[in-house]
Amino acid sequence: MAVQITPSILNADFAALGAEVARIASADWVHLDVMDNHFVPNLTFGPAMVEAIAQSTDLPLDAHLMIDDPDREAPAYVEAGCGSVTFHAEATRAPVRLARELRALGARACLGLRPATSIEPYADLLPEFDTILLMSVEPGFGGQRFLDVVVSKIRRARELIERHGGEIWLQVDGGVSPDTIERCAEAGADVFVAGSAVYSADDPDAMVRRLRDLATAASRLG
């Protein structure tokens, strides 16, 4: 599949999110980091804000739920307008049931893993998910440095996905920048979340296009 860039608005101006999303018109998705100050030590926003963002853009929304009770809360984000919802393996009690519920509501069901969480225990469950998201920083805050140890995990995840066949996207989130995206793409990732790299650029949309070009070139080499 083609490389996709999903900028995170975590580093955008929260007082003008509609305008901030308009600055990334070339994005494939808008990545929404939902945090509850329990699963991670930060607090952002909930379904009401997501619904407001959905009304301000035609870009599809990708909610990343870093919350304690996704089994109960995740469906509300589909109702708020998200076309993709990621919940964390470390937080959910019934990942397959939740994935099937999200799919039945019409959204992509995505499983997120923190850096220290292995992909191998979920190998047999991969066909239940549309996307696997690998965190390449500890979740909670934007602007962190990319963890190089995750590159080998990306490679292992891609190998497991290819064994199952089908189209499962492999997303990387955390520290993605022009300096790191090529390694991730070469290892097998095809969807990339970039926050500070995009919104610290003078032209965020130009950075989206640059990241896509770098990842596309690297994935062809791989």
Side-chain angles (χ1 to χ4, degrees), residues 2-8 27-28 134 136 144-148 150-152 154-155 170-195 197-198 204-222:
V3 163
Q4 298 186 67
I5 305 297
T6 67
S8 167
D28 297 286
L134 303 182
S136 41
Q144 297 184 65
R145 185 175 178 179
F146 180 84
L147 295 173
D148 294 296
V150 176
V151 174
S152 61
I154 296 170
R155 190 167 286 111
L170 183 55
Q171 187 174 42
V172 178
D173 181 0
V176 173
S177 72
D179 296 326
T180 60
I181 196 167
E182 291 171 297
R183 277 178 284 157
C184 297
E186 188 176 13
D190 46 26
V191 184
F192 303 88
V193 178
V198 169
D205 203 46
M207 178 57 72
V208 170
R209 296 192 298 272
R210 182 185 176 195
L211 290 170
R212 185 183 291 111
D213 289 344
L214 288 169
T216 299
S219 63
R220 287 174 183 165
L221 290 173

Side-chain angles (χ1 to χ4, degrees), residues 54-126:
Q55 293 172 355
S56 71
T57 182
D58 291 329
L59 291 173
L61 304 184
D62 171 28
H64 179 187
L65 307 184
M66 289 166 273
I67 62 178
D68 267 347
D69 192 7
D71 298 87
R72 182 169 63 91
E73 302 290 344
Y77 290 87
V78 183
E79 296 168 3
C82 292
S84 174
V85 177
T86 299
F87 55 89
H88 268 265
E90 304 88 356
T92 184
R93 296 182 298 276
V96 172
R97 182 176 64 195
L98 180 55
R100 291 180 178 180
E101 182 177 2
L102 293 173
R103 282 174 156 177
L105 291 171
R108 295 182 62 84
C110 313
L111 183 71
L113 303 177
R114 299 180 85 145
T117 303
S118 297
I119 182 66
E120 283 78 9
Y122 300 93
D124 292 338
L125 301 181
L126 290 180

